[in-house]
Amino acid sequence: MLPKTKKGYDITELIFQIRKLLQQPEKQTVAMWTIDTYQVDTTKHLLICPDKKIEKLSPKEFLVLQKLYSNKKQVVTRKQLLEEIWGNDLSEESLNNIISQLRKKFTQDKCISIQTYPCIGYQLDF
């Protein structure tokens, strides 16, 4: 609480309190996605499996999953994924490997699938 003077609050105390608040670290909230029986910790890029096993997602795995999750039940084109995640370093083989790795990580739940639309793209269903 700021001390009150006859003319309002003491300006030096007000400045001190504002600086104190600005120096406090931001409180991070853990954002979680639910993909059927799995959970994804979006802060730490962790996949929490139904059996409580925790797997770390690689940066590219997380970015591909994020794109598929944010467009769930819609087809995300290969071109979109390659341009947005790999940029100028287009790597179709890397994208194929990432999709394969993600499918393996979701094998405990048969309701989750990453559908392939040949020559078009992928769709996350759950």
Side-chain angles (χ1 to χ4, degrees):
M1 190 73 162
L2 297 174
K4 198 168 187 179
T5 65
K6 289 182 183 178
K7 294 183 179 180
Y9 293 100
D10 180 42
I11 192 72
T12 55
E13 182 64 21
L14 179 61
I15 292 170
F16 172 78
Q17 292 296 333
I18 291 171
R19 285 185 180 153
K20 187 175 165 184
L21 285 171
L22 290 172
Q23 290 174 353
Q24 292 179 351
E26 287 185 37
K27 293 179 182 171
Q28 290 186 341
T29 56
V30 176
M32 299 290 275
W33 298 333
T34 300
I35 301 175
D36 209 42
T37 56
Y38 288 79
Q39 289 191 312
V40 179
D41 178 332
T42 61
T43 306
K44 296 180 182 174
H45 299 181
L46 299 175
L47 179 67
I48 303 162
C49 304
D51 62 1
K52 303 301 180 209
K53 180 181 167 194
I54 297 174
E55 291 191 43
K56 177 81 173 144
L57 296 170
S58 74
K60 295 276 197 245
E61 285 176 330
F62 179 77
L63 291 172
V64 170
L65 183 58
Q66 181 180 41
K67 189 71 179 170
L68 293 173
Y69 181 81
S70 63
N71 293 283
K72 56 186 164 251
K73 300 190 187 255
Q74 297 175 24
V75 176
V76 179
T77 67
R78 292 179 60 81
K79 183 178 178 184
Q80 260 184 298
L81 290 166
L82 288 167
E83 286 178 357
E84 291 179 26
I85 296 169
W86 278 268
N88 292 333
D89 183 26
L90 298 178
S91 179
E92 295 207 21
E93 188 175 330
S94 293
L95 175 57
N96 296 340
N97 289 336
I98 295 290
I99 294 294
S100 177
Q101 290 165 2
L102 287 172
R103 284 182 174 136
K104 287 177 188 171
K105 292 179 189 293
F106 287 108
T107 57
Q108 290 184 27
D109 190 332
K110 301 298 178 203
C111 294
I112 301 170
S113 68
I114 299 174
Q115 299 293 324
T116 299
Y117 292 87
C119 302
I120 299 171
Y122 303 96
Q123 179 176 319
L124 175 65
D125 291 313
F126 57 95

